Amino acid sequence: MRVEIWSDIACPWCYVGKARFEKALAAFPHRDQVEVVHRSFELDPGRAKGDVQPVLTMLTRKYGMSEAQAQAGEDNLGAQAAAEGLDYRTRDRDHGNTFDLHRLLHLAKERGRQDELIQILYRANFAEERSLFSEGDERLVELAVEAGLDADAVREVLADPAAYADEVRADEREAAELGANGVPFFVLDRAYGVSGAQPAEVFAQALTRAWGDRSPLTLIDEGGAEACGPDGCAVPQN
């Protein structure tokens, strides 16, 4: 079974939702047969790469709330994250464009290190003092290497704005086609969608239902046509 997760590194509920989903997956009897794929979704696609600002400033301007309200929201998110065993800095975080992060996640997917990289990027954005957005490309190279990627390969991607750009845009178009207008958004076997950072119990129910509803294979065999197998290929007899 495949679970696809549309998310953005700048999304705190994606950070929390991933932890809740993984708690449900860890207890799922068929967890070893579940493939998890992370898909791209930018919450702020129009933001320029160099446009970095404090999270509180972004929240007050985008949602028209007061700074006190924005800080209260961050404090609430910090408590929600702590309940899942996650570190979360409720003060002095910043916000920026995530397109390069998504491009690197596609590189990581090709190299079999996608889950490692996304977790490291979440940690860097939500738990560490150093900025994920204002220290330049070498900060991203450092984090990608920690996830097991080759530094030169990462630098090549970051130096080429077209690298994996089509893959990011394709993910975003597909999210729109599936009706996802926010993240996190979980799709189980292209049959069930779960929106938001739901409790682990909801994810457990969704996994169980999606597993149970998988359609069995219908075999069409008209008289045993020739085929190849582990023991070789059938030799036609005249």
Side-chain angles (χ1 to χ4, degrees), residues 187-205:
V187 176
L188 290 75
D189 252 5
R190 291 299 170 112
Y192 294 95
V194 179
S195 180
Q198 300 285 348
E201 294 79 10
V202 173
F203 287 121
Q205 293 168 9

Side-chain angles (χ1 to χ4, degrees), residues 79-117:
Q80 298 268 2
E84 304 303 330
L86 301 172
D87 292 328
Y88 189 100
R89 294 178 66 241
T90 60
R91 302 290 191 280
D92 301 323
R93 289 195 305 106
D94 60 15
H95 176 79
N97 180 283
T98 59
F99 189 62
D100 283 350
L101 307 182
H102 287 294
R103 296 195 301 119
L104 290 180
L105 284 167
H106 277 279
L107 169 67
K109 180 177 181 292
E110 281 191 357
R111 307 298 167 88
R113 309 299 295 176
Q114 191 184 44
D115 194 68
E116 289 82 358
L117 180 58

